[in-house]
Amino acid sequence: MGNGKVGYGGFNRLIFRVGRLQVNSNFMYAGKDFYGFFNNSWLAVNGFTYYLSRKINIGFSNNVTRLNPSYDVTVINKSPYSSGNIAFLNYEYNTKNRFTLSYNNQEREDRGTVKTFHYKETFGRLSYNLNAPKFTLWFNSQYGTAQNLLVKSDSSVNRQSISNTIQPQFRVVPWLWLGGYFEYQRTSKFSDNNRLTDFYFYGGSARINMGKKFNANFMYRNSYAPDELVERRSYLDLGVTLDLDRHIFSIQGGRTFIPNYDNTDQNSLFFVAKYTLRIGVPVAKNRNLGSIRGQVLGLSEDIKRNGVLVRLGERKFLTDPSGNFYFNNLLPDKYYVTMERSTMGVGVVANTKIPMEVIVRADSTQQVTIPLTKTGEIKGKIDFVAIEQIGTVDIHKNKPLVLVKMVNGTESYITQVNKNDEFSFKEIKPDKWKITAWIPGKQEQFEISNSEEAMVLGANQVKEIQLVIKPIVRKINFSQKTYNLSSKK
């Protein structure tokens, strides 16, 4: 409620999967009098994905966005109106290499006082993503046509539209990552006279992580395309932190585009320096105590490390932006480090044994590392096959209880096949797993094909397995020989 009026808003998010088909639906609505972040807005994003195999899936998505963010006191953010359709094919060659091929058509319209873009575009796109331990690469290439709707209709003809982007990152040493960003566009969709124009965008990044003592990050972009500038406005980001126990020095800086009420684009360069003095730090160290210092690592860039709750008995610690955590003043003993699963994010698990055993010794610091990885899923289907023979069990009327177990040497999970003859293991750590199926108490009555199967499960993978169960057929063999029985006294 605001200004004496009652406003209404709502949203829904739906994701469900049936067999190989997954459906996603998102909808948001905010009325004209809704007093919130949006008003007089609606958004609909819907699509489906069909998994042809473990490595290939196809799908289609549609989105319509009509968002009106509420104005800030000094900053005006006007989201563009946009709509589009995408038909795509994904191919995951292995856990490190992924390809995407898609056909796209979209329309985007700037809603600023002076429009900088309004266009329709149709193009094909090829994307490639490589994720290796010391090198990552994202490449995107698209080719199609664009119609500039800002010019007069008689001259607004379809023109060529090309875009190529490459974004590599290298781990130079264990504590240093360096990256680059290069993009080339040739299009007429931002021109006021429908003329083909070349755009060049470039930038770089660096990340330094030297444990608790020193951390730094840097990002630079020379510019953005007009339809990107309404969403991303940072040309320069800098953050440096030096932690010397009692003394902490930090520097934050950046160069940012800010639209305001004067309809001028503020391009502000700023730096902030901060010094922190920790008061109450013990002057003398108790040499009978020890400590644990650890770090949560993400095995992929999209895994968050900040805000993960780490437990040590009754003690708790939320990790910092670099994933660091600390437990000080510990008596020499054996401890177990655990993590709160709900704070790690959906589909993320520790890629090591948890709880982790740590032995703390007097006057020493134990260093621990907990890698986090995306999970996978194993789905199974049981095919019950009937045997038409007198004396065999009618398997469809008397289906046996089937249990399935998966082990990797240190962990094991057991599940029961449901009434739809299916089973699944979700949010499973990537590893080599052995799947075993059995029928408790009735092993001698039924036969299970491939009752044991080994597989390698990767991050974000869904692997499927099918088991065939049928009654054991017992045979009676008749001999052609004649036997005479007699008794002699």
Side-chain angles (χ1 to χ4, degrees), residues 6 38 52 54 79 84 98 113 116 240 286 296 355 365 378 395 407 429 433 441 445 455:
V6 178
F38 294 106
L52 297 173
R54 293 189 297 268
S79 297
R98 184 182 182 89
T113 305
T116 57
V240 180
N286 187 342
V296 173
T365 299
I378 296 177
I395 198 169
V407 297
K429 178 176 69 178
W433 294 92
Q445 299 181 30
M455 63 174 59

Side-chain angles (χ1 to χ4, degrees), residues 153-168:
S153 58
D154 56 352
S155 60
S156 178
V157 296
N158 289 346
R159 303 295 299 271
Q160 182 186 57
S161 182
I162 300 174
S163 176
N164 292 289
T165 306
I166 185 169
Q167 188 171 356

Side-chain angles (χ1 to χ4, degrees), residues 126-130 137-141 163-167:
L126 173 64
S127 299
Y128 169 65
N129 188 67
L130 170 64
L137 174 68
W138 183 76
F139 172 75
N140 180 81
S141 179
S163 176
N164 292 289
T165 306
I166 185 169
Q167 188 171 356

